[in-house]
Amino acid sequence: MSSLTETDPALIEMYQNEPAKRAKVLRRTAEHSEVLLKQFCHPWVEKLPKVRYLVASGNAFEQILDTAEDQRIDLIVLASHGRTGVKRLLIGNVAEKVVRHATSPVLTVKPRAVNRRSKVTAAN
């Protein structure tokens, strides 16, 4: 997909005065995000009877809770970076906020131990 090579969505504010270009960048970024989401999730959800992929922008915590309520979601599954201490205080923790405030069950998933071990091995 060429959307991310045409313009960098991180620089979206540059298109403040170009509404058509801004809309195009946002639309293509959302489309690309959905493709990446499906590629990432497919191996784990391919045999489940009903899976919906939703891509939204805005405050992650608010979007997750609003969407879960609006769509009557049965289970929210979130990846967690596993940050602790000062990093968690400074950066915040979307998964923790969702767990505390969601009305439906929340499953948090940490990165695989294999990935962490390979990073440690590569660093040494």
Side-chain angles (χ1 to χ4, degrees), residues 18-35:
E18 300 178 65
K21 181 91 170 180
R22 182 182 175 92
K24 181 179 178 182
V25 170
L26 292 173
R27 186 183 74 253
R28 288 194 170 177
T29 301
E31 290 169 357
H32 186 71
S33 297
E34 188 168 343
V35 168

PDB file of all heavy atoms in Angstrom, residues 18-35:
ATOM      1  N   GLU A  18      -4.992  22.336   4.002  1.00  0.00           N
ATOM      2  CA  GLU A  18      -5.277  21.557   2.795  1.00  0.00           C
ATOM      3  C   GLU A  18      -6.244  20.431   3.153  1.00  0.00           C
ATOM      4  O   GLU A  18      -5.854  19.276   3.286  1.00  0.00           O
ATOM      5  CB  GLU A  18      -3.992  20.958   2.225  1.00  0.00           C
ATOM      6  CG  GLU A  18      -2.944  21.978   1.825  1.00  0.00           C
ATOM      7  CD  GLU A  18      -1.684  21.312   1.323  1.00  0.00           C
ATOM      8  OE1 GLU A  18      -1.747  20.637   0.272  1.00  0.00           O
ATOM      9  OE2 GLU A  18      -0.648  21.451   1.989  1.00  0.00           O
ATOM     10  N   PRO A  19      -7.535  20.745   3.316  1.00  0.00           N
ATOM     11  CA  PRO A  19      -8.493  19.746   3.800  1.00  0.00           C
ATOM     12  C   PRO A  19      -8.607  18.497   2.925  1.00  0.00           C
ATOM     13  O   PRO A  19      -8.754  17.398   3.440  1.00  0.00           O
ATOM     14  CB  PRO A  19      -9.821  20.496   3.864  1.00  0.00           C
ATOM     15  CG  PRO A  19      -9.593  21.822   3.248  1.00  0.00           C
ATOM     16  CD  PRO A  19      -8.134  22.035   3.088  1.00  0.00           C
ATOM     17  N   ALA A  20      -8.506  18.647   1.618  1.00  0.00           N
ATOM     18  CA  ALA A  20      -8.614  17.475   0.735  1.00  0.00           C
ATOM     19  C   ALA A  20      -7.430  16.536   0.935  1.00  0.00           C
ATOM     20  O   ALA A  20      -7.597  15.324   1.054  1.00  0.00           O
ATOM     21  CB  ALA A  20      -8.701  17.919  -0.726  1.00  0.00           C
ATOM     22  N   LYS A  21      -6.237  17.119   0.980  1.00  0.00           N
ATOM     23  CA  LYS A  21      -5.023  16.307   1.182  1.00  0.00           C
ATOM     24  C   LYS A  21      -5.047  15.666   2.570  1.00  0.00           C
ATOM     25  O   LYS A  21      -4.717  14.492   2.737  1.00  0.00           O
ATOM     26  CB  LYS A  21      -3.786  17.201   1.025  1.00  0.00           C
ATOM     27  CG  LYS A  21      -2.483  16.490   1.191  1.00  0.00           C
ATOM     28  CD  LYS A  21      -1.990  15.976  -0.114  1.00  0.00           C
ATOM     29  CE  LYS A  21      -0.567  15.487   0.054  1.00  0.00           C
ATOM     30  NZ  LYS A  21      -0.018  14.965  -1.154  1.00  0.00           N
ATOM     31  N   ARG A  22      -5.468  16.441   3.586  1.00  0.00           N
ATOM     32  CA  ARG A  22      -5.555  15.943   4.960  1.00  0.00           C
ATOM     33  C   ARG A  22      -6.521  14.756   5.049  1.00  0.00           C
ATOM     34  O   ARG A  22      -6.205  13.723   5.642  1.00  0.00           O
ATOM     35  CB  ARG A  22      -5.997  17.073   5.878  1.00  0.00           C
ATOM     36  CG  ARG A  22      -6.091  16.699   7.326  1.00  0.00           C
ATOM     37  CD  ARG A  22      -6.595  17.905   8.138  1.00  0.00           C
ATOM     38  NE  ARG A  22      -6.819  17.569   9.512  1.00  0.00           N
ATOM     39  CZ  ARG A  22      -5.917  17.706  10.468  1.00  0.00           C
ATOM     40  NH1 ARG A  22      -4.726  18.187  10.186  1.00  0.00           N
ATOM     41  NH2 ARG A  22      -6.199  17.367  11.697  1.00  0.00           N
ATOM     42  N   ALA A  23      -7.677  14.889   4.428  1.00  0.00           N
ATOM     43  CA  ALA A  23      -8.682  13.815   4.442  1.00  0.00           C
ATOM     44  C   ALA A  23      -8.139  12.560   3.757  1.00  0.00           C
ATOM     45  O   ALA A  23      -8.358  11.442   4.227  1.00  0.00           O
ATOM     46  CB  ALA A  23      -9.963  14.283   3.776  1.00  0.00           C
ATOM     47  N   LYS A  24      -7.419  12.756   2.669  1.00  0.00           N
ATOM     48  CA  LYS A  24      -6.836  11.620   1.937  1.00  0.00           C
ATOM     49  C   LYS A  24      -5.802  10.895   2.801  1.00  0.00           C
ATOM     50  O   LYS A  24      -5.783   9.664   2.872  1.00  0.00           O
ATOM     51  CB  LYS A  24      -6.190  12.127   0.646  1.00  0.00           C
ATOM     52  CG  LYS A  24      -5.582  11.053  -0.206  1.00  0.00           C
ATOM     53  CD  LYS A  24      -4.984  11.665  -1.462  1.00  0.00           C
ATOM     54  CE  LYS A  24      -4.309  10.608  -2.315  1.00  0.00           C
ATOM     55  NZ  LYS A  24      -3.680  11.204  -3.512  1.00  0.00           N
ATOM     56  N   VAL A  25      -4.941  11.658   3.468  1.00  0.00           N
ATOM     57  CA  VAL A  25      -3.920  11.060   4.331  1.00  0.00           C
ATOM     58  C   VAL A  25      -4.583  10.276   5.471  1.00  0.00           C
ATOM     59  O   VAL A  25      -4.205   9.140   5.759  1.00  0.00           O
ATOM     60  CB  VAL A  25      -2.974  12.146   4.898  1.00  0.00           C
ATOM     61  CG1 VAL A  25      -2.066  11.575   5.976  1.00  0.00           C
ATOM     62  CG2 VAL A  25      -2.149  12.758   3.787  1.00  0.00           C
ATOM     63  N   LEU A  26      -5.564  10.877   6.100  1.00  0.00           N
ATOM     64  CA  LEU A  26      -6.247  10.198   7.210  1.00  0.00           C
ATOM     65  C   LEU A  26      -6.959   8.936   6.746  1.00  0.00           C
ATOM     66  O   LEU A  26      -6.905   7.900   7.414  1.00  0.00           O
ATOM     67  CB  LEU A  26      -7.227  11.158   7.879  1.00  0.00           C
ATOM     68  CG  LEU A  26      -6.585  12.316   8.643  1.00  0.00           C
ATOM     69  CD1 LEU A  26      -7.648  13.297   9.112  1.00  0.00           C
ATOM     70  CD2 LEU A  26      -5.771  11.799   9.817  1.00  0.00           C
ATOM     71  N   ARG A  27      -7.641   9.000   5.593  1.00  0.00           N
ATOM     72  CA  ARG A  27      -8.359   7.829   5.072  1.00  0.00           C
ATOM     73  C   ARG A  27      -7.385   6.688   4.742  1.00  0.00           C
ATOM     74  O   ARG A  27      -7.582   5.548   5.132  1.00  0.00           O
ATOM     75  CB  ARG A  27      -9.168   8.218   3.835  1.00  0.00           C
ATOM     76  CG  ARG A  27     -10.063   7.080   3.338  1.00  0.00           C
ATOM     77  CD  ARG A  27     -10.818   7.439   2.055  1.00  0.00           C
ATOM     78  NE  ARG A  27      -9.911   7.420   0.909  1.00  0.00           N
ATOM     79  CZ  ARG A  27      -9.456   8.487   0.279  1.00  0.00           C
ATOM     80  NH1 ARG A  27      -9.805   9.679   0.646  1.00  0.00           N
ATOM     81  NH2 ARG A  27      -8.638   8.366  -0.755  1.00  0.00           N
ATOM     82  N   ARG A  28      -6.303   7.022   4.063  1.00  0.00           N
ATOM     83  CA  ARG A  28      -5.329   5.984   3.685  1.00  0.00           C
ATOM     84  C   ARG A  28      -4.603   5.421   4.904  1.00  0.00           C
ATOM     85  O   ARG A  28      -4.278   4.238   4.936  1.00  0.00           O
ATOM     86  CB  ARG A  28      -4.339   6.532   2.668  1.00  0.00           C
ATOM     87  CG  ARG A  28      -4.978   6.715   1.313  1.00  0.00           C
ATOM     88  CD  ARG A  28      -3.950   6.929   0.274  1.00  0.00           C
ATOM     89  NE  ARG A  28      -4.560   6.878  -1.043  1.00  0.00           N
ATOM     90  CZ  ARG A  28      -3.889   7.097  -2.144  1.00  0.00           C
ATOM     91  NH1 ARG A  28      -2.610   7.371  -2.092  1.00  0.00           N
ATOM     92  NH2 ARG A  28      -4.490   7.042  -3.302  1.00  0.00           N
ATOM     93  N   THR A  29      -4.359   6.252   5.876  1.00  0.00           N
ATOM     94  CA  THR A  29      -3.719   5.774   7.107  1.00  0.00           C
ATOM     95  C   THR A  29      -4.631   4.790   7.824  1.00  0.00           C
ATOM     96  O   THR A  29      -4.184   3.741   8.289  1.00  0.00           O
ATOM     97  CB  THR A  29      -3.364   6.957   8.026  1.00  0.00           C
ATOM     98  OG1 THR A  29      -2.483   7.836   7.322  1.00  0.00           O
ATOM     99  CG2 THR A  29      -2.688   6.479   9.301  1.00  0.00           C
ATOM    100  N   ALA A  30      -5.920   5.100   7.891  1.00  0.00           N
ATOM    101  CA  ALA A  30      -6.888   4.190   8.530  1.00  0.00           C
ATOM    102  C   ALA A  30      -6.972   2.874   7.760  1.00  0.00           C
ATOM    103  O   ALA A  30      -7.001   1.798   8.358  1.00  0.00           O
ATOM    104  CB  ALA A  30      -8.257   4.852   8.621  1.00  0.00           C
ATOM    105  N   GLU A  31      -7.002   2.951   6.435  1.00  0.00           N
ATOM    106  CA  GLU A  31      -7.053   1.733   5.614  1.00  0.00           C
ATOM    107  C   GLU A  31      -5.816   0.877   5.843  1.00  0.00           C
ATOM    108  O   GLU A  31      -5.902  -0.344   5.998  1.00  0.00           O
ATOM    109  CB  GLU A  31      -7.175   2.101   4.135  1.00  0.00           C
ATOM    110  CG  GLU A  31      -8.511   2.703   3.760  1.00  0.00           C
ATOM    111  CD  GLU A  31      -8.517   3.315   2.359  1.00  0.00           C
ATOM    112  OE1 GLU A  31      -7.443   3.332   1.685  1.00  0.00           O
ATOM    113  OE2 GLU A  31      -9.587   3.785   1.943  1.00  0.00           O
ATOM    114  N   HIS A  32      -4.656   1.524   5.846  1.00  0.00           N
ATOM    115  CA  HIS A  32      -3.400   0.798   6.055  1.00  0.00           C
ATOM    116  C   HIS A  32      -3.362   0.185   7.459  1.00  0.00           C
ATOM    117  O   HIS A  32      -2.910  -0.953   7.639  1.00  0.00           O
ATOM    118  CB  HIS A  32      -2.213   1.738   5.838  1.00  0.00           C
ATOM    119  CG  HIS A  32      -0.890   1.059   5.881  1.00  0.00           C
ATOM    120  ND1 HIS A  32      -0.456   0.218   4.888  1.00  0.00           N
ATOM    121  CD2 HIS A  32       0.090   1.071   6.816  1.00  0.00           C
ATOM    122  CE1 HIS A  32       0.731  -0.252   5.196  1.00  0.00           C
ATOM    123  NE2 HIS A  32       1.092   0.252   6.363  1.00  0.00           N
ATOM    124  N   SER A  33      -3.839   0.914   8.442  1.00  0.00           N
ATOM    125  CA  SER A  33      -3.873   0.405   9.820  1.00  0.00           C
ATOM    126  C   SER A  33      -4.745  -0.833   9.913  1.00  0.00           C
ATOM    127  O   SER A  33      -4.413  -1.786  10.620  1.00  0.00           O
ATOM    128  CB  SER A  33      -4.394   1.484  10.767  1.00  0.00           C
ATOM    129  OG  SER A  33      -3.521   2.582  10.781  1.00  0.00           O
ATOM    130  N   GLU A  34      -5.869  -0.832   9.217  1.00  0.00           N
ATOM    131  CA  GLU A  34      -6.754  -1.999   9.249  1.00  0.00           C
ATOM    132  C   GLU A  34      -6.083  -3.218   8.612  1.00  0.00           C
ATOM    133  O   GLU A  34      -6.190  -4.335   9.115  1.00  0.00           O
ATOM    134  CB  GLU A  34      -8.073  -1.702   8.557  1.00  0.00           C
ATOM    135  CG  GLU A  34      -9.072  -2.823   8.746  1.00  0.00           C
ATOM    136  CD  GLU A  34     -10.485  -2.455   8.336  1.00  0.00           C
ATOM    137  OE1 GLU A  34     -10.793  -1.263   8.202  1.00  0.00           O
ATOM    138  OE2 GLU A  34     -11.273  -3.388   8.158  1.00  0.00           O
ATOM    139  N   VAL A  35      -5.370  -3.018   7.522  1.00  0.00           N
ATOM    140  CA  VAL A  35      -4.642  -4.117   6.876  1.00  0.00           C
ATOM    141  C   VAL A  35      -3.616  -4.702   7.848  1.00  0.00           C
ATOM    142  O   VAL A  35      -3.523  -5.917   8.015  1.00  0.00           O
ATOM    143  CB  VAL A  35      -3.964  -3.639   5.569  1.00  0.00           C
ATOM    144  CG1 VAL A  35      -2.973  -4.679   5.055  1.00  0.00           C
ATOM    145  CG2 VAL A  35      -5.006  -3.326   4.518  1.00  0.00           C
TER     146      VAL A  35
END
